[in-house]
Amino acid sequence: MKKTISIIGSGFSSLAASCYLAKAGYDVTIFEKNSTIGGRARQLKKDGFTFDIGPTWYWMPDVFERFFSDFNKKPSDYYDLDKLNPAYSVYFGKDDFITIEDTLDKIKVAFENEEKGSSLKLNSFIEKAKSNYDIAIKDLVYNPGVSPLELVTPATIKKLNQFFSTIKTDVRKQFKNNRLVKILEFPVLFLGAKPSDTPSFYSFMNYADFGLGTFHPKKGMYQVILAIESLAKELGVTIKTQNSIDKIIVENSEASGIIANGITYKSDIIVSGADYHHTETLLDKPYRQYTENYWNKKTFAPSSLLFYVGFDKKLKNVNHHTLFFDVDFDVHAEAIYDKPKWPENPLFYASFPSKTDDSSAPTGKEAGIFLIPLAPGIEDTQELRNIYFDKILTRFEKLTSQEVKNAVLFKESFCLNDFINDYNSYKGNAYGMANTLLQTAFLRPKLKSKKVKNLYFTGQLTVPGPGVPPSLISGKLVADLVTKHHKL
């Protein structure tokens, strides 16, 4: 008889793990608390508009290709991918922006226009970033975070100094133009920490940005979720939605099942892709690995205030992805990491998928997603949400020289309380635990429980870290550990 595996949650890591485990011959069932799958990558549809609720950036296409190739498939078997040009634009003031196009050569021209001699420096910077990418994404991140020795290879020994310097130091040593500095520091925000706390080695994110480019799956990121769901079902995975987990059953320090919606499901192995902290609350206290004090001391990636807005007209002077860096980043970062509070003048990001994807909005209308990074654990009220919506739209109108408030058909918001309610997210964080030096690889919460046999974890709070590509990799890593410890 096949060994049974219950997987908690249906985000990228859980879905990926389910595919690998089903392929290996296990009987796999996913339990999802919400009515639709996808975890943070769910979708919102309203009045003919379609929004990705969570991730909107498709970076590192090679990671997606590697995932599907493990099943003799290609992304194109499931969805169509467009390379965006421009990839994004960055506003620094009224009608004042830099556009990042779709090739490094074009980006070098933009840099050179901004600062003489910067294109040569950029070339050298990206060459190093590519070298780091080849080491990290093709090798290091596919390690399970079990031992410090995973990080010790001939290639990493040569780059040891890069683990003790920071992105901020490296970028500012080479580039003096503050606008270019901001653009080069931007990609590491996906890792959830300040550039001043992110090791230099993580410059591989700059290669992902400038070297590989930014893509968009037609009909949105949710198509990737649907693709992996299709693959999972082809492999025999069962998915149960609207099944909230009440408890993980442990007998003699061994996980033996779960209780979902009051019903007991016996299982040989449990894998949780739900919030790590929340998953441990489903265990009796003696079986929890990490204390509340442990979680409280960790550096978490930001939460977010998100708005999904239907506009009654097409918008001007914006691209599919547009960043608004017209205020002081350091002051906003302080409000996230050092003295948690609502930022006075926040940076924000906006995505207009209908600029490149007609399925996102009715003809002649625009779908807009706005995101403000926030500290996890702060107050979240409807009144604050409304105040900040008005703040950013006022700035948006001024910076892009157009009126948009009068064209808002509707707005839906999503913030800390929703991250907690919908995803059981610790302190309402949006992106998991930041990738700082002391929270990298083997220093992150473990994939395998140290206290409960047959209990495993996957997702952005464990290895390798936050983001969609790392979540896919996390699903593979946990599946590899399961198959290693539980031979069929």
Side-chain angles (χ1 to χ4, degrees):
M1 197 167 145
K2 280 187 176 183
K3 281 190 176 175
T4 57
I5 298 183
S6 294
I7 298 182
I8 303 172
S10 66
F12 278 106
S13 58
S14 292
L15 286 170
S18 79
C19 293
Y20 286 109
L21 291 166
K23 183 188 174 193
Y26 297 89
D27 182 354
V28 182
T29 302
I30 289 174
F31 293 83
E32 167 57 54
K33 79 185 279 281
N34 294 307
S35 59
T36 56
I37 63 160
R40 283 166 166 78
R42 292 180 302 153
Q43 200 175 50
L44 168 67
K45 292 193 171 196
K46 181 166 181 173
D47 299 346
F49 291 83
T50 303
F51 306 90
D52 283 313
I53 289 179
T56 54
W57 294 78
Y58 190 107
W59 273 9
M60 305 184 185
D62 50 320
V63 174
F64 295 87
E65 286 160 14
R66 182 166 171 176
F67 168 76
F68 284 106
S69 73
D70 285 342
F71 305 91
N72 297 315
K73 302 281 187 182
K74 302 186 294 292
S76 58
D77 293 333
Y78 298 98
Y79 55 89
D80 295 321
L81 210 54
D82 290 324
K83 189 172 189 184
L84 295 181
N85 186 31
Y88 56 92
S89 53
V90 186
Y91 269 89
F92 297 99
K94 180 175 165 55
D95 302 324
D96 175 17
F97 56 88
I98 293 176
T99 298
I100 300 301
E101 293 189 73
D102 62 339
T103 68
L104 183 57
D105 284 342
K106 293 177 190 172
I107 296 165
K108 285 196 285 194
V109 171
F111 268 56
E112 194 65 27
N113 288 341
E114 195 65 30
E115 180 185 321
K116 283 276 174 256
S118 64
S119 60
L120 288 173
K121 291 179 191 169
L122 180 63
N123 208 52
S124 166
F125 186 81
I126 296 299
E127 273 181 17
K128 283 182 188 165
K130 181 185 187 304
S131 169
N132 290 353
Y133 189 91
D134 289 341
I135 294 165
I137 303 303
K138 295 178 182 174
D139 184 16
L140 282 189
V141 294
Y142 286 91
N143 285 314
V146 173
S147 160
L149 295 177
E150 293 169 3
L151 295 177
V152 183
T153 69
T156 56
I157 287 169
K158 288 179 189 169
K159 292 178 178 281
L160 196 60
N161 62 320
Q162 290 193 38
F163 288 93
F164 299 98
S165 181
T166 69
I167 291 288
K168 182 172 183 173
T169 302
D170 281 14
V171 168
R172 289 167 192 248
K173 199 185 290 176
Q174 296 181 62
F175 298 88
K176 302 306 171 209
N177 181 294
N178 195 44
R179 292 144 64 97
L180 299 183
V181 164
K182 284 182 175 179
I183 290 171
L184 287 167
E185 288 180 350
F186 148 68
V188 301
L189 299 181
F190 285 108
L191 300 170
K194 292 188 291 188
S196 57
D197 290 334
T198 303
S200 303
F201 184 71
Y202 284 101
S203 68
F204 64 72
M205 292 297 289
N206 293 101
Y207 176 71
D209 180 3
F210 288 0
L212 295 175
T214 302
F215 296 78
H216 174 73
K218 281 183 179 162
K219 298 186 181 176
M221 286 292 286
Y222 197 63
Q223 295 308 304
V224 188
I225 289 290
L226 296 178
I228 305 174
E229 178 196 31
S230 290
L231 176 60
K233 287 182 172 176
E234 286 169 41
L235 293 162
V237 174
T238 301
I239 300 175
K240 293 176 179 285
T241 54
Q242 293 182 296
N243 264 265
S244 187
I245 307 301
D246 308 316
K247 190 174 179 65
I248 295 171
I249 303 165
V250 180
E251 297 169 346
N252 301 320
S253 299
E254 191 169 313
S256 61
I258 55 170
I259 301 174
N261 292 351
I263 300 169
T264 299
Y265 295 88
K266 286 290 183 185
S267 188
D268 296 307
I269 298 153
I270 311 292
V271 176
S272 180
D275 178 276
Y276 204 123
H277 169 270
H278 169 71
T279 302
E280 291 226 308
T281 69
L282 301 173
L283 296 162
D284 290 334
K285 270 196 172 170
Y287 299 122
R288 297 174 193 174
Q289 304 169 90
Y290 305 107
T291 63
E292 286 299 315
N293 193 37
Y294 168 90
W295 293 111
N296 209 33
K297 285 182 173 176
K298 292 297 168 190
T299 302
F300 272 78
S303 186
S304 300
L305 169 56
L306 289 137
F307 295 103
Y308 311 100
V309 188
F311 291 100
D312 197 18
K313 66 177 183 181
K314 300 302 284 184
L315 304 190
K316 301 179 298 182
N317 306 328
V318 288
N319 289 310
H320 185 124
H321 296 299
T322 309
L323 303 163
F324 294 86
F325 286 1
D326 55 307
V327 297
D328 192 320
F329 170 78
D330 291 333
V331 174
H332 186 161
E334 189 177 295
I336 295 174
Y337 297 102
D338 306 323
K339 297 173 186 169
K341 62 179 182 181
W342 283 79
E344 189 67 32
N345 294 302
L347 287 82
F348 66 98
Y349 152 69
S351 172
F352 303 96
S354 43
K355 286 282 167 199
T356 51
D357 192 338
D358 292 340
S359 70
S360 301
T363 306
K365 296 177 171 35
E366 204 86 83
I369 301 166
F370 295 83
L371 181 152
I372 301 172
L374 294 174
I378 59 175
E379 181 187 23
D380 169 20
T381 66
Q382 193 57 53
E383 184 185 8
L384 280 165
R385 296 184 190 197
N386 291 338
I387 289 168
Y388 276 78
F389 184 68
D390 188 63
K391 264 190 187 204
I392 61 171
L393 273 207
T394 298
R395 263 175 51 211
F396 181 87
E397 288 188 327
K398 182 182 171 191
L399 293 165
T400 64
S401 297
Q402 63 188 316
E403 288 188 6
V404 298
K405 288 182 186 177
N406 57 3
V408 172
L409 292 168
F410 65 83
K411 78 170 194 295
E412 298 280 344
S413 63
F414 200 94
C415 197
L416 279 85
N417 292 343
D418 303 297
F419 281 103
I420 293 166
N421 293 334
D422 288 8
Y423 312 127
N424 296 307
S425 169
Y426 180 70
K427 291 187 177 179
N429 82 81
Y431 307 111
M433 194 184 282
N435 260 333
T436 60
L437 180 61
L438 296 178
Q439 293 181 179
T440 291
F442 67 96
L443 296 171
R444 297 179 72 80
K446 301 297 181 194
L447 288 164
K448 186 177 187 294
S449 174
K450 296 175 285 188
K451 289 194 172 184
V452 180
K453 197 178 171 190
N454 303 345
L455 175 60
Y456 297 81
F457 300 82
T458 186
Q460 56 188 11
L461 288 184
T462 179
V463 291
V468 176
S471 292
L472 284 180
I473 294 166
S474 188
K476 176 177 170 57
L477 294 178
V478 78
D480 287 348
L481 271 188
V482 169
T483 52
K484 180 182 172 185
H485 291 112
H486 303 270
K487 302 288 186 209
L488 286 173

